[in-house]
Amino acid sequence: MRILWLFGFLFIFLLKRTNAIEKRSLSVHECKSIENTSMMMKLKRHLFCDYDTTVRPTINHQVVTNVTVKLVPKLLEFDDWTSTMTLHSWMSLNWKDEHLNWNPSDFDGISTVHVNSDEIWVPDLSVYNSGDMSLEQNGVPSTKCLVINTGSVICIPALSYVTKCITDFTFWPYDKHECRIRFGSWSHTGEEINFHLDKKGYEMEGYANNTEWNLKILNAEKIVKKFECCPNDTFPILVYTFSIEREPGLVHVTFVTPAIAIVLLTLTVLWLDSGSTERMAIASMNFICHLLCIFDLHWQLPHNGENVPHILLFYRDSLALAAFALILTALLRKLQNMSMETPTWISSTISFVLNNRAGRFLILTDDESKASTTGILANETDENSDLSKANDRKKESSWRHFAAIVEWLSFIAVTITYVVIFIILVPSD
């Protein structure tokens, strides 16, 4: 019996509670006139008494609602590892609401009123190519809007847009990337809501430039599309195209300057005498430096580009030349210690080179140059000298001369190779 009394008491309590809520809601929708209140309060009651935020702001439903749009970027975040751009900006929206007009003379000359965007109808401007589907990028967030007595509404919400970009790291660290943001209505056709660009559609004044990336708006255009599902309807889309260019200051010092240094180091290896210990030590160090640079570059470069960065190709080719210089040094050191008779083609090559003044200048050392000028006189006056020792010295000098010729040819070939690599891989602009 007590349980029945308890249930009956709860039922009566809930019934009274429901009736009170209904009376309160009726009192709001009735919009009873209040005499002792401000004119602004009367104006808002006049505007919003029967206002419905879900109804498009036209008296005739066949009349299109024109919305003018202007993008005002403020901050930029770009993640080159995920190819996503986050643009923090203001968005200026302007349209006419035929349900929000009044005569200022009826309200003490009040011609404008500030309202929350939640209190009025706002266009459902959405990002079609969102880079993060977990974020809500549909409609206009809560902000203050200005309503003019003619029905014009101006809203400037602060928004953050995330979109995917087309990344190209071919000329890293001088890379440029292209990003696009596509705006349009999520649930209305162009016959209901038509978007327009305000003049050029954007304004860069007040933009705080990123220390790592430079932002430029390449183009802002309106595209009207039709789809097979709805052949009689149009769908206007606003497309903003951005160019994002890297500031290469820090990366230039970290990777480009060492690249020039290792080129000079490789050429220095080929310049030195192959018989010297210093050349072998520098060649080994040069090869190790190439490997360390490539390993470090591997962890610094994003791995989501379609093309291999040219700087990585440069280090790869330079590593091959450094390995060539190291192997050549070892072979030439072995070649200089040979005592066997030189082949005829080698002797002919050496004679051809030494017969030229430039060849003697590049190939012969100072002592050998002096000996070559006095050798003829010595042979004429001393015909009874030891021929075997002379032949041994001739063999050794022939192999040394041949090694010197190979050194110079290698130096010239590697220099030309580096020039070709720079012409092919270095960006022209």
Side-chain angles (χ1 to χ4, degrees):
M1 195 65 181
R2 293 181 178 178
I3 296 176
L4 293 176
W5 277 101
L6 180 60
F7 276 109
F9 176 76
L10 290 175
F11 176 76
I12 295 172
F13 175 78
L14 293 175
L15 184 61
K16 290 183 177 181
R17 181 76 173 176
T18 303
N19 292 334
I21 294 175
E22 289 178 353
K23 289 180 180 180
R24 193 183 307 124
S25 61
L26 288 173
S27 64
V28 172
H29 289 291
E30 287 176 1
C31 295
K32 295 179 180 179
S33 59
I34 302 176
E35 298 296 335
N36 298 325
T37 185
S38 65
M39 195 59 65
M40 181 62 72
M41 181 69 72
K42 292 181 179 180
L43 175 59
K44 283 198 170 185
R45 287 182 177 275
H46 168 74
L47 295 176
F48 300 108
C49 178
D50 297 322
Y51 190 87
D52 192 341
T53 59
T54 62
V55 177
R56 198 161 54 85
T58 56
I59 297 177
N60 186 352
H61 71 279
Q62 295 181 345
V63 176
V64 64
T65 301
N66 294 297
V67 181
T68 305
V69 178
K70 178 190 284 187
L71 185 69
V72 186
K74 293 299 177 181
L75 295 172
L76 169 70
E77 296 178 17
F78 182 69
D79 189 350
D80 51 355
W81 283 86
T82 59
S83 301
T84 55
M85 178 190 73
T86 303
L87 184 65
H88 305 277
S89 66
W90 294 347
M91 177 66 81
S92 175
L93 302 172
N94 188 3
W95 68 93
K96 186 172 183 180
D97 193 328
E98 297 181 2
H99 300 149
L100 298 178
N101 49 26
W102 70 92
N103 189 355
S105 61
D106 296 337
F107 298 93
D108 287 348
I110 298 176
S111 59
T112 60
V113 60
H114 291 86
V115 298
N116 289 325
S117 59
D118 299 333
E119 302 179 60
I120 60 176
W121 178 92
V122 292
D124 57 339
L125 186 67
S126 305
V127 179
Y128 286 166
N129 58 333
S130 176
D132 189 350
M133 302 303 292
S134 63
L135 296 177
E136 180 68 26
Q137 299 192 77
N138 298 329
V140 178
S142 180
T143 186
K144 286 289 184 179
C145 298
L146 178 66
V147 181
I148 305 175
N149 65 289
T150 58
S152 295
V153 182
I154 301 174
C155 292
I156 308 179
L159 300 165
S160 295
Y161 298 114
V162 181
T163 184
K164 278 286 184 180
C165 300
I166 303 173
T167 52
D168 183 10
F169 299 100
T170 302
F171 298 112
W172 188 96
Y174 308 100
D175 46 327
K176 297 179 182 179
H177 311 284
E178 190 173 286
C179 303
R180 287 187 177 91
I181 300 181
R182 300 175 181 269
F183 296 104
S185 175
W186 192 255
S187 57
H188 295 277
T189 64
E191 286 68 33
E192 295 173 327
I193 300 178
N194 194 9
F195 291 102
H196 304 275
L197 293 173
D198 184 3
K199 297 180 180 179
K200 62 180 181 179
Y202 62 90
E203 181 180 332
M204 295 298 293
E205 184 178 354
Y207 172 72
N209 206 14
N210 192 297
T211 57
E212 186 179 0
W213 302 98
N214 289 328
L215 176 68
K216 294 180 181 179
I217 299 182
L218 300 179
N219 188 29
E221 60 179 341
K222 175 184 175 180
I223 301 176
V224 179
K225 285 192 173 184
K226 287 188 176 183
F227 299 98
E228 295 181 359
C229 65
C230 317
N232 298 325
D233 296 327
T234 60
F235 296 88
I237 302 174
L238 302 181
V239 181
Y240 286 85
T241 305
F242 303 88
S243 173
I244 300 178
E245 182 178 356
R246 187 190 302 270
E247 282 285 353
L250 179 61
V251 184
H252 180 91
V253 175
T254 308
F255 292 101
V256 178
T257 304
I260 299 174
I262 62 176
V263 169
L264 298 177
L265 194 61
T266 304
L267 296 178
T268 302
V269 170
L270 298 173
W271 180 278
L272 294 175
D273 183 14
S274 59
S276 64
T277 308
E278 293 82 358
R279 171 165 172 166
M280 195 67 185
I282 295 177
S284 302
M285 182 181 65
N286 182 39
F287 184 76
I288 295 174
C289 289
H290 276 80
L291 291 177
L292 293 177
C293 288
I294 290 179
F295 288 153
D296 189 22
L297 194 62
H298 168 74
W299 294 109
Q300 294 294 331
L301 283 172
H303 301 158
N304 55 337
E306 295 182 359
N307 302 321
V308 180
H310 280 185
I311 191 170
L312 193 60
L313 297 178
F314 167 80
Y315 274 101
R316 179 203 63 183
D317 298 340
S318 185
L319 176 65
L321 295 177
F324 166 75
L326 179 61
I327 296 173
L328 180 66
T329 300
L331 293 177
L332 293 180
R333 287 173 65 88
K334 181 67 175 178
L335 194 65
Q336 290 189 16
N337 296 326
M338 294 182 64
S339 58
M340 62 179 292
E341 188 72 26
T342 57
T344 304
W345 66 273
I346 293 180
S347 301
S348 301
T349 303
I350 296 172
S351 300
F352 174 78
V353 173
L354 293 180
N355 285 333
N356 297 309
R357 185 184 299 273
R360 289 195 298 272
F361 174 76
L362 295 175
I363 302 303
L364 297 180
T365 62
D366 293 339
D367 294 338
E368 290 175 334
S369 180
K370 293 178 181 178
S372 65
T373 57
T374 59
I376 299 176
L377 296 174
N379 289 333
E380 292 178 351
T381 57
D382 190 11
E383 296 178 354
N384 296 322
S385 60
D386 191 354
L387 296 178
S388 62
K389 292 182 179 179
N391 290 332
D392 292 340
R393 288 196 300 270
K394 184 178 180 181
K395 293 177 182 178
E396 294 176 1
S397 62
S398 297
W399 286 112
R400 285 199 305 271
H401 294 161
F402 180 68
I405 294 173
V406 174
E407 288 174 2
W408 279 108
L409 291 176
S410 302
F411 178 82
I412 296 172
V414 171
T415 302
I416 295 175
T417 303
Y418 270 124
V419 172
V420 173
I421 290 174
F422 277 117
I423 293 175
I424 295 175
L425 298 183
V426 174
S428 58
D429 55 349

